[in-house]
Amino acid sequence: MSTEENKDVTTIATDRLAGLQQRLADFRDARHWAQFHTPKNLASALSVEAAELLEPFQWLQSGERAELGEQQLQAVSEEMADVLSYLLLLADRLQIDLVEASHRKIDQNALRYPVSTAYGSALKASASPSGLSNED
C-alpha cells in the first residue's frame, strides 16, 4: 500500500471513529447522562465491560472464530461494542485524541520491541541486556 493510500485509509478510519464518538455523545446528551459520565465512572464501566468480554471465551481452547457459536459471536460483538463505546466516551470526556494516542503508543512500542529482538517472541521488554524477559 502506498503512502497516499495509507493516508486515505487512516483518514477514513479516523473520520468513522470521530463520527461514532459524536453519535455516542449525542445519545448521552439527549438523555442528560453526561452528569453521570465522570472519568472514574466511565473507566469503571469500561473495566466491567472488558471483563464481560471474557465470558464467551471461557473454557474454549483458543477462542478463535471457528470455536464460537453464533450466540457466542454475537455476545463478543456486543461486548466489544460496549468496550469501544465507553472508551470513546472516556476519551471525549478527557479530551484525548485516541487515534493520536494510539499512534504514539505504537511508536513507543516500536522502540521498545524492535523487530530484530522481538520477532516471534511473546517476551516483555525489561532492563535485561537482551531487552526481553518473561517477567512483567
Side-chain angles (χ1 to χ4, degrees):
M1 184 178 291
S2 73
T3 304
E4 192 61 37
E5 289 172 326
N6 192 25
K7 284 182 184 177
D8 289 343
V9 169
T10 301
T11 300
I12 291 168
T14 301
D15 289 348
R16 290 184 70 198
L17 195 60
L20 179 57
Q21 191 169 27
Q22 185 59 57
R23 185 171 181 205
L24 286 164
D26 291 346
F27 181 90
R28 174 201 61 209
D29 294 344
R31 289 151 182 81
H32 195 56
W33 288 350
Q35 62 183 323
F36 309 117
H37 287 189
T38 64
K40 179 199 72 74
N41 287 349
L42 291 167
S44 295
L46 174 61
S47 179
V48 168
E49 295 300 340
E52 288 178 5
L53 177 58
L54 286 171
E55 188 174 8
F57 296 103
Q58 190 173 11
W59 312 119
L60 298 179
Q61 184 71 24
S62 66
E64 294 293 337
R65 186 181 179 110
E67 271 188 284
L68 297 168
E70 283 304 313
Q71 285 184 323
Q72 289 170 306
L73 190 58
Q74 181 63 33
V76 168
S77 174
E78 290 175 6
E79 295 306 336
M80 289 173 70
D82 287 341
V83 168
L84 179 60
S85 294
Y86 281 120
L87 183 61
L88 289 172
L89 287 165
L90 181 59
D92 182 57
R93 182 66 181 240
L94 295 176
Q95 298 176 350
I96 293 173
D97 180 336
L98 282 176
V99 173
E100 179 59 35
S102 295
H103 282 296
R104 279 195 314 270
K105 187 64 177 183
I106 293 168
D107 292 344
Q108 290 170 5
N109 283 338
L111 293 173
R112 192 170 178 198
Y113 298 99
V115 173
S116 62
T117 57
Y119 186 82
S121 174
L123 299 177
K124 284 190 64 101
S126 73
S128 71
S130 67
L132 300 175
S133 77
N134 284 320
E135 300 174 11
D136 280 327

